[in-house]
Amino acid sequence: MTPPAHVTYTVQVADLATTRYRVSVKAEGLRDPEVAFQLPAWTPGWYVLRGNERNLSGFSATGPTQKPLPLKQSDAHTWRVSTEGAASVTFSYDLKASDTGFGFFEPYLDRQHGFVPGPAALTYVVDGKEAPCTIDYQLPKGWQVASGNTPVAGKPHTFSAPNYDTLADQPAELGTFTRIDRTIQSTPFSVVFTGGDPTRYARWAESVFKIAQAGIQVFGGAPFERYVFFFHFSREGSFFGGLEHLNSTVLRLDPSNLRQPDAENLTIVAHEFIHAWNIKRIRPAALGPFDYMRPVRVRDLWFAEGVTDYFAPLLTVMAGLGTQRFWLGYQAEQLTQLQSNPSRHRVTLEETSSKVWESQEESEGYGGLSYYNKGLVVGLLLDIELRKRTANTIGLIDVLKDLLAQCQKSGRGYAEGEIERTASRLAKSDLSSFFERALRSTDELQIIEQLAAGGILAEAAVSKSATLGIGWDLSQVGQAKIGIVTPQGPAAKAGLLPGDVILSVDGQPLEALLGGAFTTQKPGDTLRLTYQRSGVTQQATLTLGTEEATSFRLRPAPRPTTSQAGILAGLSGKPTL
Ligand SMILES: [Zn+2]
């Protein structure tokens, strides 16, 4: 198909009472007898098919003189219009704002706010995603709009983008929100707030700006023309966390976080900001241009997410919000999580990256192994390995900078294997045995020895405790939903399945047990569980198993060599000696 010359989107707040938008997509410069419009089946950054198309209804298609044109839906995501010779076609639909909180992956609307995430709201022209776009928001009186897309001069509610991928990647916040602006090293930044205590906004924004400054410093410049941090402070809704975009990020946090704008609460902000480089611009080749119709398998998600998470606490230290002690504590927690997780014996890091689509409940990995968690640990060990082999002249950050330069030069993402090739080239040393073990085997990582080379004394304590043999699905706040069931484990033997929601244990409601959950139980004890499956309440009796956990404490080595002290300083953000 010949692509359109230009696509104009109009998003109108159509009905506050029924929380509906009306979306119009006008494709111009058409030459073919038919034009097709398609809604993405997934949202980049969250590797789950969410069924966004269920929010669309009331379809119509018109030509340039408002003349109705024949329209048919050919599958769940695709609508085809016969142009009848018209060069311009407008496809319109109602969009139900179905999110129950402040919005995240799905559109949201209430009397003060709206949130429009591109992939769940905006259809693209099939074979025409490369066409330049503009988007205009038609809003109730007094509402404003904020977005990472390019503002159109003289039109405060209109933005432009060079293509659909860019347009859709930038969500828009609508309504009567608070916005705080700051220019950092010639780049304009905005922090947009919804919810929480407004008297705390200014201090929070100060910490966010320090993180922005640290990020630019670490990567040696900003790769975007502007950047927006969207904060939704709320206890309502379906998702806590953050999602990265090209020039912005959306974070959904608990309102209590606003009281302490410190490293603890802002590491997630640093994580999302690092994504502006790692994944958005240093990106696996399969992640852009996107195939929105199919799951896209990527074996390097450990690098995109885990290594991003590895650098997040470093950014808070460099921003002056955290200390080396905080940095060590963060790494120790991640080591404890990994070394207490039996899934590390069954699933490799590349497997958990590429098979994430097969565990639809949680977008963090496959088979119980999180690519965030093991990816972070491998990032830490790789950073030490690089510094060890290069007299502390090359670190993991140099691998990211080199990959960034490669991606910017080629205009494409990096190929499979490119991370390993780049690391070996920069280290002038063959790192294949390191990568083989870390990414493609389930062999134990050499944690204690490697940390020692990095000037870190690791103390590991092994403990035995009772286990249910499940991993919780944390995507639903306030619900004890099972995400993972360990094969042959206690829950599996009791017949429990992923998706089951535990309602009570031994007759006690689960809220009373969570937090201090199951701490008084011993391996071999039996529990009576009441749970819900497909709306039906059922009972199961479960015998607790034994779980071995290794917990880590990290501190600087007491008498480090010059090399060890230098590596630790390089890793944790202190100036090298
Ligand atoms: Zn992330």
Side-chain angles (χ1 to χ4, degrees):
M1 198 197 101
T2 322
H6 188 268
V7 183
T8 307
Y9 292 82
T10 307
V11 178
Q12 182 197 13
V13 174
D15 190 348
L16 289 172
T18 60
T19 67
R20 268 173 208 282
Y21 296 97
R22 182 76 184 167
V23 180
S24 295
V25 189
K26 182 180 182 185
E28 292 169 282
L30 300 170
R31 288 193 228 153
D32 297 323
E34 187 182 80
V35 57
F37 298 85
Q38 215 158 40
L39 188 76
W42 62 285
T43 297
W46 197 248
Y47 309 100
V48 172
L49 300 174
R50 294 184 60 89
N52 294 325
E53 62 282 0
R54 71 186 184 286
N55 293 323
L56 273 56
S57 63
F59 305 97
S60 71
T62 53
T65 55
Q66 305 300 314
K67 179 189 162 202
L69 294 172
L71 165 72
K72 68 171 194 291
Q73 183 166 4
S74 56
D75 63 43
H77 301 99
T78 315
W79 295 265
R80 297 179 183 280
V81 180
S82 301
T83 64
E84 296 187 343
S88 141
V89 166
T90 302
F91 172 57
S92 305
Y93 48 90
D94 286 336
L95 176 68
K96 173 81 181 155
S98 59
D99 196 277
T100 51
F102 272 130
F104 212 102
F105 298 110
E106 292 178 23
Y108 177 76
L109 191 60
D110 70 21
R111 292 191 179 274
Q112 282 83 38
H113 300 105
F115 184 73
V116 181
L122 308 176
T123 52
Y124 56 83
V125 177
V126 175
D127 297 328
K129 292 203 294 283
E130 288 310 306
C133 319
T134 52
I135 187 161
D136 181 48
Y137 296 92
Q138 297 183 351
L139 305 173
K141 199 161 175 283
W143 281 33
Q144 356 158 40
V145 53
S147 160
N149 278 318
T150 308
V152 172
K155 295 182 175 176
H157 299 162
T158 307
F159 299 83
S160 69
N163 50 50
Y164 174 83
D165 281 2
T166 308
L167 177 88
D169 190 39
Q170 309 288 355
E173 182 89 33
L174 319 174
T176 53
F177 49 76
T178 300
R179 167 177 169 166
I180 299 176
D181 296 333
R182 175 79 49 90
T183 299
I184 299 169
Q185 295 192 6
S186 335
T187 304
F189 282 82
S190 300
V191 182
V192 171
F193 291 95
T194 305
D197 177 359
T199 65
R200 307 273 180 177
Y201 288 172
R203 271 194 65 211
W204 184 270
E206 279 311 311
S207 291
V208 172
F209 291 137
K210 284 179 186 165
I211 284 180
Q213 171 98 46
I216 293 173
Q217 191 187 331
V218 165
F219 286 97
F224 36 71
E225 283 175 28
R226 72 193 61 75
Y227 194 91
V228 188
F229 291 92
F230 296 100
F231 288 101
H232 296 173
F233 287 102
S234 169
R235 292 204 173 98
E236 302 295 315
S238 58
F239 185 83
F240 274 81
L243 187 64
E244 67 277 7
H245 300 287
L246 205 52
N247 299 345
S248 60
T249 176
V250 185
L251 291 118
R252 171 70 162 296
L253 302 175
D254 192 279
S256 67
N257 288 20
L258 267 171
R259 283 199 284 276
Q260 287 196 332
D262 58 8
E264 191 94 33
N265 284 327
L266 278 120
T267 299
I268 186 168
V269 180
H271 174 110
E272 299 308 329
F273 187 54
I274 292 166
H275 274 317
W277 289 270
N278 194 24
I279 209 169
K280 283 299 164 190
R281 289 169 177 89
I282 307 167
R283 65 171 202 275
L287 292 183
F290 297 105
D291 181 343
Y292 293 104
M293 284 299 113
R294 262 173 288 286
V296 171
R297 289 178 205 287
V298 177
R299 69 178 209 193
D300 293 319
L301 286 179
W302 69 273
F303 190 83
E305 288 297 351
V307 166
T308 293
D309 214 29
Y310 166 63
F311 282 114
L314 173 71
L315 228 59
T316 66
V317 173
M318 295 186 62
L321 303 169
T323 58
Q324 188 182 67
R325 193 191 170 106
F326 168 77
W327 185 88
L328 286 166
Y330 194 92
Q331 311 298 331
E333 263 177 42
Q334 296 287 330
L335 287 164
T336 298
Q337 188 188 329
L338 179 63
Q339 295 306 105
S340 302
N341 181 358
S343 297
R344 75 187 190 282
H345 300 305
R346 291 193 298 270
V347 182
T348 72
L349 195 47
E350 282 195 350
E351 224 181 334
T352 194
S353 297
S354 56
K355 290 188 178 170
V356 58
W357 291 95
E358 286 163 44
S359 47
Q360 279 286 302
E361 294 299 324
E362 269 190 275
S363 186
E364 289 197 358
Y366 164 82
L369 185 72
S370 158
Y371 50 73
Y372 288 74
N373 177 226
K374 189 170 180 183
L376 179 147
V377 172
V378 167
L380 168 64
L381 303 184
L382 176 58
D383 204 352
I384 296 173
E385 188 69 23
L386 288 161
R387 291 171 188 274
K388 221 167 66 178
R389 292 189 187 217
T390 62
N392 202 19
T393 56
I394 296 290
L396 186 53
I397 193 68
D398 299 297
V399 175
L400 272 81
K401 287 182 184 172
D402 196 280
L403 286 167
L404 176 65
Q406 291 180 46
C407 289
Q408 285 177 332
K409 195 169 161 211
S410 70
R412 287 192 304 272
Y414 58 79
E416 288 192 345
E418 198 52 52
I419 295 164
E420 295 165 59
R421 283 192 290 277
T422 302
S424 291
R425 174 167 52 77
L426 292 179
K428 296 193 176 69
S429 175
D430 179 9
L431 289 167
S432 56
S433 65
F434 177 94
F435 283 107
E436 202 54 41
R437 183 185 196 121
L439 307 188
R440 289 179 284 276
S441 89
T442 55
D443 295 350
E444 289 283 17
L445 299 169
Q446 287 168 307
I447 291 167
I448 292 182
E449 305 84 335
Q450 187 77 331
L451 291 180
I456 301 168
L457 179 67
E459 294 164 308
V462 179
S463 62
K464 287 193 164 77
S465 59
T467 180
L468 296 166
I470 59 168
W472 297 111
D473 173 353
L474 301 174
S475 63
Q476 301 289 318
V477 181
Q479 198 181 57
K481 189 174 182 183
I482 299 178
I484 295 153
V485 175
T486 308
Q488 316 298 326
K493 287 179 186 160
L496 292 163
L497 295 173
D500 290 348
V501 177
I502 310 281
L503 303 173
S504 71
V505 179
D506 285 340
Q508 294 210 55
L510 204 72
E511 302 88 78
L513 293 161
L514 284 174
F518 314 117
T519 44
T520 55
Q521 265 80 20
K522 299 183 299 299
D525 286 357
T526 55
L527 301 176
R528 219 163 20 82
L529 302 180
T530 307
Y531 64 96
Q532 206 166 47
R533 180 182 299 164
S534 312
V536 181
T537 302
Q538 307 192 41
Q539 306 266 340
T541 303
L542 179 151
T543 306
L544 289 169
T546 310
E547 189 167 65
E548 216 171 71
T550 306
S551 62
F552 282 84
R553 275 186 51 207
L554 305 185
R555 57 192 167 100
R559 282 176 297 281
T561 62
T562 313
S563 155
Q564 287 171 323
I567 292 178
L568 177 56
L571 298 173
S572 64
K574 291 215 173 158
T576 35
L577 297 171

